[in-house]
């Protein structure tokens, strides 16, 4: 994020409140609804933990906002124009966005944050609206969104907790990469961002190449699929793992396998992709689908349990 970041929140939701709501999986992004303003305006949004600020397309947005629900601050009696501007650099090649900062009332699953900083953007960079900074006021996400509680029917065993090195982006210390339970590379000090707004596992070019070089039959597929993609034999899909907080977290082979490269071939597309223009790893849906995940703002930790 550059230039003028959104102001800090002025009022937080009660820690005692709890609520939950199913989310809709659309093209590997998790969508739900929030309301903004007084009277409330209902918006369909993508809950993205990889972006730390709340920003929404606003009335007057250009043609890139076609199909989006648009927030109208002029129709809200609680909207306050701070006269600040913002500029966000988004992850994974989604582009940048700029706009103005307003304060308004935001409600999610019945829980309300007063005076929430909301960025009004006039050109949306991708296919979704982002209420991500709202996590500072009401926080927790999963395939079912639960605020202030967990659904014990959806996981077994205990949570394995990892302490973030940066709470804003749920950034964790990535310590090692594994293939079929063998350590491939140690990477202590590398940042890994838990990102519900990304599909793949994205990493630096050197580490990703090292990972695939340890997988028998893996091939560079950049000429067919684009830079950073690799394939693995369909009959020997590996178990890929990542060490976080001195604990190994594995990606199941059926989740690691994106699809058959071409019909009739024996090569399948791997979900770990290199992207050399980002200085961190992005642990997207391919990682999160293996776990019931809790983002604990109060205790500053991320917990993973078996679904």
């Amino acid at each position: 994020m550059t230039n003028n970041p959104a102001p800090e929140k002025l009022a937080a939701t009660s820690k005692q409140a709890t609520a939950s709501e199913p989310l809709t999986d659309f093209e590997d992004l998790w969508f739900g609804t929030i309301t903004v303003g007084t009277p409330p305006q209902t918006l369909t949004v993508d809950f993205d933990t990889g972006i730390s600020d709340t920003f929404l397309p606003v009335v007057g947005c250009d043609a890139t906002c076609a199909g989006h629900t648009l927030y109208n601050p002029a129709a809200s009696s609680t909207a306050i124009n701070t006269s600040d501007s913002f500029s966000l650099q988004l992850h994974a090649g989604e582009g940048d966005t700029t706009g103005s900062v307003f304060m308004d009332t935001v409600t999610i699953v019945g829980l309300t944050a007063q005076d929430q900083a909301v960025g009004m953007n006039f050109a949306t960079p991708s296919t979704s609206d982002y209420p991500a900074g709202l996590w500072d006021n009401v926080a927790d996400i999963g395939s079912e969104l639960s605020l202030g509680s967990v659904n014990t029917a959806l996981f077994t065993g205990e949570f394995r907790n990892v302490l973030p090195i940066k709470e804003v982006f749920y950034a964790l210390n990535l310590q090692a990469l594994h293939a079929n339970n063998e350590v491939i590379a140690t990477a202590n000090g590398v940042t890994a961002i838990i990102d519900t707004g990304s599909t793949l596992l994205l990493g630096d070019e050197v580490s990703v190449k090292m990972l695939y070089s340890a997988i028998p039959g893996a091939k560079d597929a950049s000429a067919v699929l684009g830079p950073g993609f690799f394939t693995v034999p369909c009959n020997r899909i590996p178990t890929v793992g990542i060490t976080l907080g001195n604990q190994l977290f594995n990606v199941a082979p059926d989740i690691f396998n994106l699809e058959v490269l071409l019909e009739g071939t024996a090569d399948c597309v791997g979900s770990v992709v290199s992207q050399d223009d980002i200085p961190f790893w992005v642990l997207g849906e391919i990682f999160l689908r293996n776990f019931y995940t809790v983002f604990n703002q109060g205790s500053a930790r991320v917990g993973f349990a078996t679904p």
Side-chain angles (χ1 to χ4, degrees):
M1 183 173 66
T2 60
N3 296 339
N4 298 310
E8 293 294 327
K9 61 183 182 297
L10 299 183
T13 300
S14 168
K15 297 293 185 179
Q16 301 302 314
T18 64
S20 64
E21 176 181 289
L23 298 180
T24 300
D25 183 6
F26 176 73
E27 295 183 353
D28 298 323
L29 298 176
W30 295 106
F31 284 85
T33 59
I34 66 172
T35 63
V36 183
T38 307
Q41 302 172 38
T42 300
L43 303 176
T44 300
V45 295
D46 164 27
F47 294 102
D48 184 352
T49 58
I51 298 175
S52 66
D53 298 274
T54 304
F55 66 95
L56 302 167
V58 67
V59 169
C61 181
D62 64 22
T64 61
C65 289
H68 289 261
T69 48
L70 304 180
Y71 167 60
N72 183 2
S76 172
S77 63
T78 49
I80 300 172
N81 188 346
T82 69
S83 299
D84 289 330
S85 62
F86 74 95
S87 176
L88 294 175
Q89 295 177 333
L90 304 182
H91 57 74
E94 289 177 338
D96 298 341
T97 187
T98 60
S100 302
V101 179
F102 277 69
M103 308 292 286
D104 210 339
T105 299
V106 179
T107 299
I108 176 173
V109 203
L111 303 181
T112 299
Q114 305 286 345
D115 298 320
Q116 170 69 43
V118 180
M120 303 291 94
N121 67 305
F122 292 89
T124 185
S126 63
T127 59
S128 58
D129 310 336
Y130 294 92
L134 184 57
W135 299 135
D136 289 336
N137 283 348
V138 287
D140 205 339
I141 195 167
S143 57
E144 173 188 86
L145 176 66
S146 296
L147 302 176
S149 65
V150 296
N151 187 339
T152 56
L154 297 182
F155 65 92
T156 62
E158 300 294 324
F159 283 100
R160 293 188 287 161
N161 294 307
V162 181
L163 300 179
I165 54 177
K166 294 179 182 179
E167 293 178 41
V168 173
F169 295 102
Y170 296 108
L172 310 179
N173 181 19
L174 191 156
Q175 296 168 302
L177 302 174
H178 303 252
N180 296 321
N181 296 315
E182 296 287 337
V183 177
I184 302 306
T186 56
N188 202 32
V190 174
T191 298
I193 291 175
I194 304 294
D195 186 6
T196 59
S198 292
T199 302
L200 303 172
L201 281 163
L202 301 175
D204 66 276
E205 183 177 4
V206 173
S207 298
V208 171
K209 284 184 176 180
M210 190 178 301
L211 176 68
Y212 280 104
S213 68
I215 300 172
K219 301 174 184 177
D220 188 324
S222 57
V224 180
L225 297 173
F229 279 91
F230 289 79
T231 62
V232 296
C234 293
N235 62 351
R236 296 197 307 275
I237 304 295
T239 297
V240 169
I242 293 174
T243 296
L244 304 167
N246 299 316
Q247 303 170 86
L248 175 60
F249 297 91
N250 282 323
V251 175
D254 61 326
I255 295 177
F256 174 83
N257 176 21
L258 291 179
E259 60 184 350
V260 176
L261 177 61
L262 296 170
E263 187 175 352
T265 67
D267 295 320
C268 286
V269 181
S271 58
V272 176
V273 178
S274 69
Q275 191 161 338
D276 214 33
D277 60 346
I278 55 174
F280 47 80
W281 276 64
V282 177
L283 309 184
E285 188 196 3
I286 293 299
F287 179 82
L288 290 167
R289 282 171 58 193
N290 297 272
F291 310 103
Y292 183 100
T293 306
V294 170
F295 300 94
N296 191 323
Q297 288 287 95
S299 300
R301 63 188 180 186
V302 182
F304 303 97
T306 301

